[in-house]
Amino acid sequence: MIQPPTAPSRAPVSLRERVSEWASDDGNADTGLGITIAPATHFSRGPRVYPTRFGLAFLGTALLTLIGCVNYQLSLGYLVTFTLLGLWVAAAVSASRTLGGLTLSAAPPASAWAGQDAAFTVRLHNPAALPRYGLRLRAHRPRSAAVTRFDLPGDGDLHVEVQIFAAVRGRLPLPRLRLEGRDLLGLWRGVSYPLLSAEALVYPAPEVGAPPLPAARSGEGSGQRRVPGQEDFAGIRPYAPGDAPRQVAWRHSARTGELHTKLFDAPASWALRLSYAELRGLDPEARLSRLSAWVLQARLQETSYRLELPGSVIEEGGGEIQARRALSALALCRPLTQERA
């Protein structure tokens, strides 16, 4: 069931963003089957390794210790200093192996609303027996403030949510992500930038305090789907035995010399009619927000309805499937040019 609501990517503009975009393009692009991060030995596609702030402080301390050892000729100090530097290098190798071999794939959220975060689901698979500890995942561009921290068990799967802010309605692709793993001492971090293929459809934000559902019903105007009935004249056909005498078109039969029977029809139903054109006085986005709120109201009240938008019509229906069809049409609706101007 659709849950009521509780940036798109952009081109880099500054030099810093351009450099960041170039540095993060490590070739890990999804082709529909997910991404497997290459081992650290593959320089072009493997994780990239950077020292953490603590790692830089650790290195600075080791170098100061080395300078002190040189000045005062401390043999034991040399042993300690080179042990620290060796540990620093070994930690870099360990950090480079934290992400290698992981497989990632993504799925869009069940529903997403403009002005709120869209929760994409990222599946991570660890084929190795060794667990991966202290992993971090977030959006890289545009940068997400929410960082998800987790541990990935050995030879297992894990599903993690990534929150992406949906500024406007329409299609929202999952931006490039930043997956980070650190060595056990926290001196280095291995970073990969997977670009997974997943796209959310962002519905218009429902209007807060929207009025009740309109009283207009489909079938009250012309051009609606109609079925045989007794309300409006629909034509004539040749007389068939059993037709009531009051249905015979006597005047037409007198002119032609053959009996004919009059046909009548009626609207197919009296379903609720939600029309974009009827919401005069509101700007295009406000109209879509009100229609979005009405679709949710009709869903809660289990009411059948017909949705009329510029260039498209969602025929009469009800239930969860009808609500998703209507909200999808609202998300992709393109108002007329003169209305946007």
Side-chain angles (χ1 to χ4, degrees):
M1 177 178 179
I2 295 177
Q3 298 297 327
T6 49
S9 59
R10 57 187 175 82
V13 293
S14 65
L15 178 61
R16 180 178 180 180
E17 290 181 336
R18 292 176 184 273
V19 172
S20 176
E21 180 67 11
W22 171 80
S24 61
D25 187 8
D26 54 5
N28 283 320
D30 191 359
T31 59
L33 301 176
I35 292 175
T36 299
I37 299 177
T41 52
H42 295 184
F43 179 76
S44 59
R45 300 189 59 194
R48 302 183 179 180
V49 181
Y50 306 96
T52 63
R53 292 181 180 178
F54 175 66
L56 292 175
F58 184 92
L59 177 62
T61 302
L63 294 178
L64 289 176
T65 304
L66 178 61
I67 294 174
C69 293
V70 172
N71 289 336
Y72 297 102
Q73 295 296 312
L74 299 176
S75 300
L76 184 59
Y78 281 115
L79 176 62
V80 173
T81 299
F82 285 108
T83 300
L84 293 178
L85 292 177
L87 187 62
W88 195 73
V89 174
V93 176
S94 176
S96 68
R97 296 178 175 175
T98 56
L99 305 179
L102 299 184
T103 300
L104 292 83
S105 58
S111 59
W113 304 87
Q116 299 187 11
D117 287 338
F120 288 85
T121 301
V122 177
R123 173 181 174 273
L124 297 100
H125 174 67
N126 180 14
L130 186 66
R132 315 293 177 96
Y133 296 105
L135 301 184
R136 305 181 182 192
L137 183 65
R138 65 171 172 82
H140 178 56
R141 285 192 68 252
R143 182 170 179 171
S144 172
V147 179
T148 304
R149 294 177 170 84
F150 56 94
D151 297 329
L152 185 58
D155 194 18
D157 296 342
L158 188 67
H159 292 82
V160 179
E161 284 193 350
V162 178
Q163 305 288 341
I164 305 297
F165 181 69
V168 297
R169 65 180 175 87
R171 302 185 187 279
L172 175 65
L174 178 63
R176 185 179 293 278
L177 301 179
R178 176 189 171 101
L179 178 62
E180 180 180 320
R182 303 191 179 195
D183 65 278
L184 294 178
L185 298 178
L187 300 178
W188 292 82
R189 59 174 181 266
V191 183
S192 182
Y193 302 91
L195 182 59
L196 301 172
S197 62
E199 184 180 80
L201 190 58
V202 181
Y203 303 144
E207 180 183 0
V208 178
L213 292 172
R217 303 280 170 173
S218 64
E220 294 177 349
S222 60
Q224 308 298 331
R225 186 167 64 90
R226 305 179 74 83
V227 296
Q230 300 297 327
E231 296 187 9
D232 300 315
F233 177 74
I236 60 174
R237 62 167 173 79
Y239 175 82
D243 289 345
R246 60 184 176 83
Q247 293 181 318
V248 175
W250 296 109
R251 293 184 180 177
H252 181 79
S253 299
R255 289 197 299 269
T256 60
E258 297 180 356
L259 289 178
H260 287 79
T261 301
K262 293 184 287 187
L263 300 176
F264 296 86
D265 64 7
S269 68
W270 297 96
L272 178 66
R273 176 167 167 256
L274 305 179
S275 174
Y276 176 92
E278 296 295 331
L279 297 177
R280 302 181 183 87
L282 299 177
D283 63 69
E285 293 302 322
R287 295 188 191 191
L288 297 176
S289 293
R290 178 163 299 181
L291 291 173
S292 178
W294 281 348
V295 168
L296 293 180
Q297 290 185 31
R299 175 70 185 91
L300 292 176
Q301 298 176 14
E302 298 182 353
T303 302
S304 296
Y305 57 92
R306 168 192 171 96
L307 179 63
E308 300 174 357
L309 298 174
S312 65
V313 174
I314 304 299
E315 294 295 346
E316 173 192 343
E320 182 73 12
I321 296 178
Q322 175 74 355
R324 289 195 177 278
R325 290 174 57 198
L327 291 172
S328 299
L330 290 171
L332 301 176
C333 177
R334 303 185 64 178
L336 300 177
T337 305
Q338 59 270 27
E339 293 177 336
R340 293 198 298 264

